[in-house]
C-alpha cells in the first residue's frame, strides 16, 4: 500500500494555487504525493509553515485536530485507510455555519495552526475543503518590525448618511487603508466611483468625525471593531447633506428646480466679508484651477501631513465652494464654512472686520498650495548665487530647487520666476539670484502733490470761516500750506497759525518747519489769522497770541449739587492781544468783538442779572471775574503756539511778561467767566489754579441760561466754501505697462531692509533691480493703490488703463524668447477685483469672464449681473487676473475635442524641459 501511494505521487503535479474546478463544481484534487514529500512541502522553511512571516501577506488558520491527524498520517506512515485525513474541516473554529464568525479566545497551537498561502493551497489541492466552509485567511501585520497574524480582523458597521439605521458588517485588516473601506461601502450601497463620497466614524461619545485621509490604515485611524462608519455622497448641487441646516435644506428644496449657468452664482456677505467674496469669485473663474477641483483631481493630491499646510481643510473647503458655485443649482451660496476655516488658520481674518482682498488671496493661494503639495517631505535646498554663471543655467537650477520643495497645481498655474540683481554701493559686488513669485505687486506712478482741505478763520469777526482746498507738495512743510492759502486769501503767511482742532480744543498747534506728513487726511485743520505785529524775536514781540476755549457749565451729579461740571463746545480761537493791553477789561472786550458774529452783546442790566444768578446757583465755588482771572496749561509742551504766532516755543518759559493772574482785575458783572484750565483744558474745582506760565490758555465759561439767550449755535457753526473747493486735481490716467516698468526700475534698499554684502562683510543699502524671467499660465497683477507711511495713509484712485485682450509681455521678459510662438507672451483678462471707497470704509466687487460662455459678469456679493467689456475698466480696479493665450486655446481644445483645430503649441517652457511650470 505504501508503495502504491508513492507510485501515485510520481504522477502528482504539486501546485501552489487553488485547485481547478471539476465538471460537477467540486474542486479538482491533485494526486497526493507520498507522505514524506507532503511533510517536506508543508513544513519547509522556504514556502511552508516554517517560512518567516512578512508584513502584508496572507496566512491561513487550520483546525488543530485536523492538522494533528494529518501529521500522524504523514509522519508515522500508517497504511490503514481510515487514518487518512478527509477534507479540511475548520468547523470547531466557527461560532456557527451561517455567518462563519470565529470563536473568541482561540489560541494558536491549541485550537489552530497557521499555514502560509503556498502550504494552504497544497493541502486544499490534496484533501479539499469541507463543502460550504470559507477559508480562514488572515493578514500579517508588521508592527514596528514585529510580524504577527491578525487573527481577529476589524469588523465595521457600514451605513449611508441617508439611512444610518441600515448597516452592513464588513471585515478589514488593521493594515487596510481607509480607501478600501470607502470602496467597500461604495460597492455595498451601489454608489458609482464617479460620485464623490466621504466617510464619517461614530466615536464612543456619540459624535461623528471625518475620516479625511483615506490613505492611512485602520490602525492609524484608530478604528475598532463595532464602530459605525457612515458614507456620505455629495449632492447634485455641490453641497454635503451633513452641512445643511434646516434653513439651508428648505432653501435647497426651493432651488431644486433652479438650473442656471454654472459659475454664475453670488456669495452672501456675512458681515464685511465682501473682500473675501471678491477674491473667491476671481479665483473661481480661473479655468484650469476650477476644472482641477470639478474633476476631483485634488482628492489624490490632498496633503494631510504637511506641517506648513492646513491638514487639507482649506483645500476641501474651497473645493466645496467651487462645486456649489459651478453646479448650476444655486443663485447664491453662503460661505460660512469657508469663513470659519479661514479664521481658524489665519487669526487676522477672525471676526467681521473689513480686510484686503489681495491679502486674503495671498493667504488662500499659499494655503491651497501647501494643502495640495505633491512633495510629502521637503528637503533642505540652499539658494545659490549666480557667481558669474550664465543666467539660463542659474534659472534652471533655481526652478528645479523650487520644484523639489514645492509642486502643486498652484505652482503649475500661478508661479513664475524673477531675476533679482543686487549691487553693492561700496565695492560694486553684483549678486544675481532667481526667485519664484506667485503674483506681481506693481506700484502706481505717485503724484508729488497733495490736496488738503483746511478752514481759514479771519480776524474780521464778520467773516465766517472759509473752507479751502489747497494743493501742496506731498513732502512739504507747514509753511507751504500757509503759502498756498495766502494765494487764495491775500493774507500774508506770517499772519497765520495752523492748528489741529479735535473735540472743541487744540489737539496740536504746528510750527512752520514741521512736515505736512504729520497731518492725516481725516484731521480737521484750522488756519487762524493773527496780528501782523507779532515777531519771532523775543525782545521785539508786541502781541501775545492766546488760545481760547469755550465751556458751558452743567450741573454735576453730586449728592448736594455743590459745584458745576464743565463741557467744551464750539470752535476754539487764537486771539491776538496787544502786550500793552494785557488786562481783563481789554481781553473781555476783544473776545466779545471776535465773537460778535454769533454772540449778542447784552445790556448792562442783563449782565448784572446773569452774574447775580450765577452767584446764587454756583455758590462760593463759582469763580467771579473779580477774583479769578484766566488760567493756563500746566505743561505747554509741543502743542503750544509755534513761531508763526510770533512767540517762540522755547522762549515762553523765560517770558517775564505778566501772566493772567497778574492782570488788573475788572470789577463788575460779565457775560462770561474766565477759569483756569489744566493740561486737559478742563477745570479742577478742588484745586487752586496753578501758577500760570508765560503762554496762557483761557477757558471762557458760560452759564447755560446766558448761553441760550446770547449765543447763536447755528451761526457759530456756519462756514462758507471758497471757490477752490469745487476744483479737483485731475489725475491723468496711466497705462498698466507703465506700472510694470516702474516695477522693474532700479531702486535703493531702505534702511530697515539692508543687504549683507559677502564681499564687504557688512550690511549695505544696495541697489536692487527685478526683472521678469518667466511668467505663469495665469498672471495675477496687484495694483498697489494703498500707501502706508509712518504719518499718513492714502488710497490712490488713479485710473489705470489695462487691456482686455493681447496684453503683451514680450518687452518685459528678459529670457531669450521663442519667436515662433508669440502667444506665449500674450495674455487676456479673465477677472478683476474692484475696491470702491476710501481707507476706513470701502466695498469689494468682481468682474469675471465665465469660462464656459465667455460672457463677463459683475459679482456684488449676492447680486450677479451681465456686463459688457467697456464697463470693466475703472478707477476701482485693484487686482487683475490674466490668462496666457496658449493656455486658453489648449483648454478650449479639451472641452471641444470634436473640432479639427490644430494642436495648441506646447505650454510655455520657461526654462527648457526642466522648468515644468505647466
Amino acid at each position: 500500500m505504501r508503495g502504491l501511494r508513492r507510485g501515485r505521487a510520481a504522477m502528482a503535479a504539486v501546485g501552489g494555487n487553488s485547485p481547478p474546478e471539476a465538471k460537477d463544481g467540486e474542486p479538482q484534487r491533485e494526486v497526493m504525493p507520498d507522505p514524506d514529500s507532503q511533510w517536506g512541502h508543508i513544513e519547509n522553511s522556504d514556502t511552508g509553515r516554517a517560512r518567516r512571516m512578512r508584513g502584508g501577506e496572507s496566512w491561513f488558520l487550520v483546525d488543530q485536530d485536523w492538522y494533528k491527524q494529518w501529521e500522524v498520517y504523514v509522519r508515522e506512515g500508517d497504511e490503514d485507510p481510515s487514518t487518512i485525513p478527509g477534507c479540511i474541516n475548520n468547523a470547531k473554529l466557527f461560532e456557527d455555519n451561517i455567518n462563519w464568525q470565529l470563536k473568541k479566545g482561540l489560541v494558536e497551537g491549541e485550537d489552530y495552526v497557521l499555514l502560509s498561502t503556498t502550504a494552504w493551497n497544497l493541502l486544499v489541492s490534496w484533501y479539499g475543503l469541507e463543502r460550504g466552509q470559507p477559508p480562514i485567511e488572515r493578514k500579517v501585520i508588521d508592527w514596528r518590525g514585529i510580524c504577527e497574524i491578525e487573527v481577529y480582523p476589524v469588523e465595521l458597521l457600514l451605513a449611508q448618511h441617508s439611512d444610518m439605521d441600515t448597516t452592513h458588517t464588513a471585515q478589514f485588516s488593521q493594515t487596510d487603508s481607509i480607501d478600501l473601506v470607502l470602496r467597500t461601502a461604495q460597492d455595498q450601497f451601489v454608489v458609482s466611483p464617479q460620485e464623490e463620497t466621504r466617510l464619517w466614524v461614530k466615536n464612543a461619545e456619540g459624535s461623528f468625525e471625518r475620516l479625511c485621509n483615506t490613505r492611512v490604515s485602520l490602525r492609524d485611524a484608530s478604528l475598532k471593531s463595532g464602530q459605525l462608519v457612515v458614507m456620505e455622497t455629495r449632492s447634485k448641487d455641490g453641497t454635503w447633506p451633513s452641512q445643511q441646516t434646516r434653513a439651508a435644506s428648505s432653501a435647497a428644496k426651493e432651488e431644486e428646480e433652479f438650473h442656471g449657468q454654472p459659475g454664475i452664482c453670488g456669495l452672501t456677505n456675512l458681515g464685511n466679508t465682501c473682500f473675501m467674496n471678491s477674491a473667491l469669485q476671481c479665483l473661481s473663474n480661473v479655468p484650469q484651477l476650477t476644472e482641477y477641483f470639478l474633476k476631483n483631481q485634488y482628492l489624490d493630491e490632498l496633503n494631510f501631513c504637511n506641517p506648513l499646510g492646513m491638514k487639507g481643510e482649506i483645500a476641501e473647503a474651497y473645493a466645496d465652494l467651487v462645486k456649489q458655485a459651478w453646479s448650476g443649482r444655486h443663485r447664491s451660496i453662503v460661505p460660512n464654512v469657508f469663513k470659519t476655516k479661514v479664521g481658524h488658520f489665519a487669526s487676522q481674518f477672525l471676526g467681521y472686520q473689513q480686510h484686503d482682498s489681495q491679502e486674503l488671496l495671498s493667504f488662500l493661494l499659499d494655503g491651497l498650495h501647501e494643502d495640495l503639495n505633491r512633495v510629502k517631505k521637503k528637503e533642505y535646498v540652499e539658494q545659490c548665487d549666480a557667481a558669474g554663471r550664465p543666467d539660463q543655467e542659474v534659472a534652471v537650477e533655481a526652478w528645479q530647487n523650487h520644484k523639489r520643495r514645492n509642486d502643486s497645481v498652484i505652482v503649475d498655474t500661478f508661479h513664475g520666476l524673477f531675476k533679482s540683481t543686487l549691487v553693492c554701493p561700496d565695492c560694486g559686488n553684483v549678486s544675481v539670484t532667481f526667485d519664484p513669485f506667485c503674483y506681481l505687486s506693481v506700484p502706481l506712478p505717485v503724484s508729488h502733490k497733495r490736496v488738503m482741505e483746511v478752514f481759514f478763520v479771519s480776524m474780521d469777526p464778520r467773516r465766517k470761516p472759509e473752507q479751502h482746498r489747497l494743493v501742496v507738495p506731498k513732502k512739504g512743510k507747514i509753511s507751504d500750506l500757509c503759502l498756498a492759502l495766502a494765494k487764495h486769501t491775500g493774507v500774508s503767511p506770517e499772519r497765520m497759525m495752523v492748528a489741529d482742532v479735535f473735540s472743541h480744543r487744540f489737539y496740536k498747534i504746528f510750527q512752520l518747519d514741521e512736515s505736512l506728513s504729520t497731518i492725516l487726511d481725516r484731521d480737521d485743520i484750522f488756519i487762524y489769522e493773527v496780528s501782523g505785529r507779532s515777531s519771532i524775536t523775543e525782545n521785539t514781540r508786541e502781541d501775545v497770541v492766546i488760545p481760547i476755549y469755550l465751556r458751558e457749565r452743567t450741573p454735576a451729579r453730586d449728592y448736594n449739587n455743590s459745584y458745576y461740571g464743565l463741557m467744551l463746545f464750539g470752535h476754539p480761537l487764537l486771539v491776538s492781544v496787544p502786550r500793552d493791553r494785557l488786562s481783563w477789561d481789554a481781553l473781555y472786550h476783544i473776545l466779545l468783538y471776535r465773537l460778535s458774529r454769533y454772540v449778542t452783546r447784552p445790556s448792562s442790566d442783563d449782565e448784572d442779572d446773569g452774574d447775580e444768578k450765577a452767584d446764587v446757583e454756583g455758590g462760593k465755588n463759582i469763580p467771579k471775574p473779580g477774583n479769578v482771572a484766566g488760567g493756563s496749561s500746566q505743561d505747554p509742551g509741543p502743542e503750544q503756539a509755534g513761531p508763526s504766532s510770533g512767540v517762540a516755543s522755547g522762549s515762553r518759559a523765560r517770558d517775564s511778561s505778566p501772566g493772567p493772574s497778574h492782570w488788573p482785575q475788572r470789577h463788575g458783572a460779565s457775560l462770561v467767566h474766565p477759569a483756569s484750565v489744566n493740561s486737559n483744558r478742563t477745570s479742577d474745582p478742588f484745586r487752586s489754579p496753578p501758577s500760570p506760565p508765560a503762554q496762557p490758555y483761557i477757558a471762557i465759561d458760560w452759564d447755560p441760561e446766558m448761553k441760550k439767550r446770547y449765543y447763536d449755535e447755528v451761526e457759530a457753526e456756519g462756514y462758507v466754501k471758497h471757490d477752490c473747493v469745487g476744483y479737483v486735481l485731475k489725475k491723468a490716467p496711466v497705462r498698466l505697462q507703465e506700472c510694470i516698468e516702474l516695477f522693474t526700475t532700479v531702486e535703493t534698499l531702505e534702511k530697515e531692509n539692508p543687504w549683507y554684502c559677502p564681499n564687504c562683510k557688512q550690511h549695505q543699502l544696495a541697489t536692487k533691480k527685478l526683472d521678469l524671467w518667466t511668467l505663469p499660465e495665469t498672471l495675477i497683477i496687484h495694483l498697489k493703490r494703498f500707501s502706508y507711511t509712518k504719518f499718513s495713509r492714502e488710497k490712490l484712485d488713479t485710473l489705470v488703463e489695462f487691456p482686455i485682450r493681447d496684453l503683451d509681455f514680450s518687452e518685459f521678459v528678459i529670457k531669450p524668447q521663442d519667436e515662433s510662438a508669440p502667444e506665449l507672451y500674450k495674455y487676456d483678462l479673465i477677472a478683476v477685483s474692484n475696491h470702491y471707497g476710501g481707507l476706513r470704509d470701502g466695498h469689494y466687487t468682481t468682474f469675471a469672464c465665465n469660462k464656459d460662455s465667455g460672457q463677463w459678469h459683475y459679482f456684488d456679493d449676492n447680486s450677479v449681473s451681465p456686463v459688457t467689456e467697456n464697463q470693466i475698466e475703472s478707477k476701482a480696479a485693484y487686482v487683475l487676473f490674466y490668462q496666457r493665450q496658449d493656455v486658453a486655446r489648449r483648454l478650449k481644445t479639451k472641452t471641444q475635442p470634436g473640432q479639427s483645430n490644430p494642436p495648441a503649441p506646447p505650454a510655455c517652457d520657461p526654462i527648457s524641459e526642466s522648468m515644468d511650470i505647466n
Side-chain angles (χ1 to χ4, degrees):
M1 178 70 74
R2 188 170 185 127
L4 177 62
R5 289 192 309 184
R6 287 180 179 174
R8 288 179 180 177
M11 297 183 293
V14 179
N17 299 319
S18 299
E21 293 290 325
K23 293 181 180 180
D24 57 359
E26 290 291 328
Q28 178 66 50
R29 300 183 191 176
E30 297 185 3
V31 177
M32 286 187 291
D34 62 84
D36 291 337
S37 297
Q38 289 185 45
W39 179 260
H41 286 305
I42 301 303
E43 291 289 339
N44 73 73
S45 59
D46 294 330
T47 58
R49 280 188 64 201
R51 72 179 293 273
R52 187 175 181 178
M53 294 181 180
R54 300 182 182 90
E57 64 183 7
S58 294
W59 282 58
F60 293 80
L61 276 66
V62 175
D63 180 73
Q64 173 79 6
D65 292 339
W66 185 93
Y67 191 81
K68 285 294 183 182
Q69 184 179 356
W70 172 82
E71 191 176 44
V72 170
Y73 168 69
V74 296
R75 296 299 300 275
E76 297 182 0
D78 190 349
E79 298 183 357
D80 185 354
S82 63
T83 62
I84 301 176
C87 294
I88 300 174
N89 190 346
N90 293 324
K92 296 179 181 179
L93 303 181
F94 294 112
E95 291 279 1
D96 53 58
N97 59 358
I98 299 177
N99 296 320
W100 301 104
Q101 289 187 334
L102 285 183
K103 294 179 179 179
K104 303 296 181 183
L106 297 179
V107 179
E108 182 184 3
E110 296 180 7
D111 302 298
Y112 65 87
V113 294
L114 293 170
L115 296 179
S116 67
T117 300
T118 303
W120 165 261
N121 288 336
L122 287 173
L123 286 178
V124 172
S125 68
W126 297 333
Y127 298 96
L129 179 63
E130 191 70 26
R131 185 181 181 88
Q133 284 188 10
I136 308 176
E137 181 180 3
R138 295 294 183 264
K139 286 190 176 181
V140 179
I141 298 177
D142 187 348
W143 180 242
R144 296 178 180 178
I146 300 176
C147 292
E148 57 184 19
I149 296 292
E150 185 182 24
V151 177
Y152 294 97
V154 179
E155 293 185 350
L156 299 177
L157 303 177
L158 304 181
Q160 284 186 291
H161 183 270
S162 57
D163 183 15
M164 287 190 283
D165 294 330
T166 303
T167 61
H168 168 75
T169 302
Q171 292 185 344
F172 302 94
S173 168
Q174 294 185 44
T175 60
D176 287 339
S177 67
I178 302 299
D179 184 63
L180 178 61
V181 179
L182 180 60
R183 284 186 276 112
T184 303
Q186 290 174 336
D187 293 340
Q188 175 64 32
F189 301 114
V190 195
V191 176
S192 170
Q194 280 70 39
E195 295 190 61
E196 190 175 352
T197 55
R198 62 184 186 181
L199 297 178
W200 297 81
V201 60
K202 188 175 184 179
N203 295 323
E205 297 81 7
S207 60
F208 284 88
E209 180 182 350
R210 270 279 314 281
L211 295 173
C212 300
N213 191 354
T214 61
R215 292 187 286 271
V216 300
S217 66
L218 272 69
R219 179 196 290 270
D220 293 333
S222 301
L223 293 186
K224 307 295 182 184
S225 291
Q227 282 189 288
L228 176 65
V229 176
V230 178
M231 182 184 71
E232 182 183 19
T233 304
R234 191 188 289 274
S235 305
K236 292 182 179 179
D237 64 354
T239 61
W240 293 105
S242 61
Q243 291 180 346
Q244 291 185 353
T245 60
R246 292 183 180 179
S249 298
S250 301
K253 290 180 180 179
E254 293 178 2
E255 290 198 349
E256 280 183 357
E257 302 301 323
F258 176 76
H259 293 279
Q261 171 71 41
I264 310 305
C265 178
L267 294 174
T268 300
N269 193 322
L270 305 175
N272 284 329
T273 58
C274 58
F275 73 96
M276 182 182 76
N277 293 346
S278 178
L280 288 173
Q281 293 287 14
C282 287
L283 209 57
S284 172
N285 282 278
V286 176
Q288 60 270 50
L289 183 64
T290 295
E291 287 296 321
Y292 171 85
F293 282 99
L294 293 179
K295 293 179 179 177
N296 292 335
Q297 292 173 291
Y298 74 100
L299 293 176
D300 295 330
E301 296 184 346
L302 283 170
N303 192 333
F304 298 100
C305 305
N306 187 353
L308 300 178
M310 299 162 196
K311 302 178 182 178
E313 295 183 28
I314 287 294
E316 288 187 325
Y318 179 74
D320 289 346
L321 273 180
V322 170
K323 289 176 180 291
Q324 293 177 48
W326 288 85
S327 67
R329 302 295 184 97
H330 301 278
R331 293 181 177 87
S332 179
I333 56 179
V334 183
N336 49 2
V337 176
F338 181 83
K339 170 71 170 60
T340 302
K341 292 293 183 184
V342 169
H344 176 71
F345 291 104
S347 59
Q348 67 269 30
F349 296 114
L350 278 173
Y352 296 93
Q353 301 297 320
Q354 181 65 275
H355 291 281
D356 189 290
S357 67
Q358 190 272 333
E359 291 180 0
L360 188 280
L361 184 65
S362 176
F363 161 79
L364 182 54
L365 288 172
D366 185 63
L368 290 176
H369 161 64
E370 296 296 355
D371 273 0
L372 300 169
N373 199 343
R374 303 174 187 118
V375 179
K376 306 306 179 184
K377 186 177 181 181
K378 294 189 177 185
E379 56 181 308
Y380 172 75
V381 177
E382 185 174 357
Q383 186 179 26
C384 298
D385 192 86
R389 294 179 294 163
D391 285 349
Q392 185 78 14
E393 177 185 339
V394 182
V396 169
E397 180 184 51
W399 184 253
Q400 288 176 341
N401 288 340
H402 180 57
K403 290 295 291 282
R404 284 162 64 184
R405 292 174 54 86
N406 304 278
D407 185 13
S408 70
V409 65
I410 302 300
V411 176
D412 299 341
T413 308
F414 298 102
H415 283 206
L417 206 61
F418 283 140
K419 177 186 177 182
S420 176
T421 305
L422 289 165
V423 180
C424 178
D426 288 350
C427 67
N429 180 39
V430 179
S431 172
V432 175
T433 58
F434 287 82
D435 306 297
F437 68 89
C438 189
Y439 52 85
L440 299 181
S441 288
V442 299
L444 273 62
V446 179
S447 172
H448 298 290
K449 298 292 184 179
R450 176 185 179 185
V451 177
M452 298 184 67
E453 291 189 356
V454 301
F455 290 91
F456 173 69
V457 181
S458 173
M459 289 182 65
D460 185 350
R462 295 168 298 181
R463 295 178 57 185
K464 291 183 180 181
E466 290 181 343
Q467 184 183 18
H468 290 257
R469 181 171 290 168
L470 307 176
V471 179
V472 295
K474 183 168 289 188
K475 296 184 179 180
K477 299 182 180 299
I478 298 295
S479 58
D480 296 312
L481 187 64
C482 296
L483 285 171
L485 182 60
K487 296 178 181 178
H488 291 185
T489 62
V491 177
S492 172
E494 287 76 16
R495 299 180 58 187
M496 296 180 183
M497 289 186 67
V498 182
D500 181 359
V501 175
F502 175 74
S503 189
H504 311 289
R505 65 184 181 90
F506 292 117
Y507 183 77
K508 182 174 182 178
I509 300 177
F510 296 94
Q511 300 184 25
L512 287 175
D513 59 351
E514 289 190 67
S515 174
L516 288 175
S517 62
T518 60
I519 299 178
L520 305 182
D521 290 337
R522 64 174 180 267
D523 293 340
D524 292 325
I525 302 301
F526 282 72
I527 301 181
Y528 295 86
E529 180 185 6
V530 295
S531 172
R533 298 193 300 164
S534 298
S535 173
I536 297 178
T537 307
E538 177 71 20
N539 298 327
T540 62
R541 192 175 62 217
E542 298 183 7
D543 286 358
V544 177
V545 178
I546 301 177
I548 304 295
Y549 296 119
L550 303 179
R551 300 190 302 184
E552 180 181 2
R553 292 173 175 173
T554 57
R557 295 182 180 179
D558 192 78
Y559 66 95
N560 60 3
N561 198 26
S562 60
Y563 68 91
Y564 283 80
L566 295 163
M567 181 181 295
L568 289 169
F569 73 93
H571 295 297
L573 287 174
L574 290 177
V575 178
S576 300
V577 180
R579 181 179 297 277
D580 55 0
R581 296 179 59 191
L582 208 57
S583 66
W584 169 247
D585 285 322
L587 180 61
Y588 180 80
H589 290 291
I590 290 174
L591 288 177
L592 290 182
Y593 173 72
R594 289 294 301 272
L595 302 175
S596 60
R597 182 171 55 84
Y598 47 91
V599 173
T600 304
R601 195 179 187 96
S603 64
S604 59
D605 294 338
D606 292 337
E607 286 186 313
D608 292 338
D609 293 342
D611 189 59
E612 182 178 344
K613 183 177 180 180
D615 292 343
V616 173
E617 294 180 356
K620 295 181 181 180
N621 288 305
I622 299 178
K624 296 182 179 181
N627 53 35
V628 178
S632 61
S633 171
Q634 292 178 349
D635 181 15
E639 296 183 3
Q640 301 261 349
S644 58
S645 68
V647 183
S649 60
S651 63
R652 293 193 187 111
R654 299 191 301 272
D655 191 353
S656 59
S657 62
S661 61
H662 299 96
W663 293 347
Q665 297 179 355
R666 177 181 186 272
H667 299 283
S670 299
L671 173 63
V672 294
H673 305 275
S676 66
V677 291
N678 58 21
S679 58
N680 293 324
R681 307 337 181 219
T682 58
S683 296
D684 188 344
F686 295 107
R687 295 176 58 187
S688 59
S691 56
Q695 177 63 49
Y697 273 75
I698 302 297
I700 302 300
D701 296 343
W702 286 76
D703 180 82
E705 186 63 29
M706 301 293 281
K707 177 175 177 287
K708 183 178 180 181
R709 291 169 61 183
Y710 300 109
Y711 186 87
D712 188 342
E713 292 189 11
V714 176
E715 183 66 23
E717 296 295 328
Y719 68 93
V720 296
K721 293 185 178 181
H722 190 267
D723 293 340
C724 63
V725 176
Y727 301 156
V728 178
L729 182 62
K730 295 183 178 180
K731 297 181 180 179
V734 299
R735 296 168 59 247
L736 178 60
Q737 289 84 342
E738 296 177 55
C739 301
I740 299 172
E741 287 176 0
L742 277 176
F743 177 79
T744 58
T745 301
V746 178
E747 62 177 356
T748 302
L749 297 179
E750 298 176 349
K751 294 181 180 179
E752 296 78 11
N753 187 29
W755 170 64
Y756 182 79
C757 177
N759 193 25
C760 298
K761 305 297 183 184
Q762 61 181 354
H763 289 88
Q764 299 282 6
L765 299 182
T767 58
K768 182 178 182 179
K769 188 177 190 304
L770 290 177
D771 291 296
L772 302 178
W773 182 261
T774 55
L775 298 178
E777 291 184 350
T778 300
L779 179 62
I780 302 175
I781 302 178
H782 165 225
L783 303 178
K784 298 172 71 173
R785 291 195 177 275
F786 299 103
S787 174
Y788 300 96
T789 63
K790 184 177 181 181
F791 298 106
S792 65
R793 298 180 179 182
E794 63 176 333
K795 178 192 174 184
L796 304 177
D797 59 354
T798 307
L799 175 62
V800 178
E801 297 176 341
F802 50 88
I804 305 297
R805 294 184 181 85
D806 296 325
L807 174 59
D808 192 351
F809 273 91
S810 57
E811 61 177 304
F812 300 108
V813 176
I814 65 171
K815 181 190 177 224
Q817 300 178 14
D818 185 357
E819 300 298 337
S820 62
E823 68 277 359
L824 298 181
Y825 310 99
K826 288 187 177 181
Y827 286 77
D828 295 334
L829 189 72
I830 57 173
V832 181
S833 175
N834 305 298
H835 179 268
Y836 300 92
L839 290 169
R840 289 180 292 178
D841 56 355
H843 184 59
Y844 288 91
T845 64
T846 301
F847 289 114
C849 180
N850 186 274
K851 68 181 181 65
D852 297 331
S853 66
Q855 170 68 46
W856 281 89
H857 287 81
Y858 181 64
F859 297 84
D860 185 359
D861 291 334
N862 285 67
S863 175
V864 184
S865 57
V867 292
T868 58
E869 291 186 359
N870 58 7
Q871 296 176 265
I872 297 171
E873 187 180 274
S874 72
K875 294 182 179 180
Y878 182 45
V879 183
L880 311 175
F881 284 68
Y882 278 94
Q883 185 180 61
R884 207 170 60 215
Q885 289 183 350
D886 71 301
V887 176
R889 247 194 315 274
R890 186 185 70 206
L891 293 174
K892 186 176 181 180
T893 303
K894 285 183 178 180
T895 56
Q896 300 174 349
Q899 292 184 351
S900 58
N901 293 339
C908 179
D909 188 3
I911 306 180
S912 172
E913 296 181 354
S914 55
M915 184 166 180
D916 185 19
I917 278 191
N918 300 310

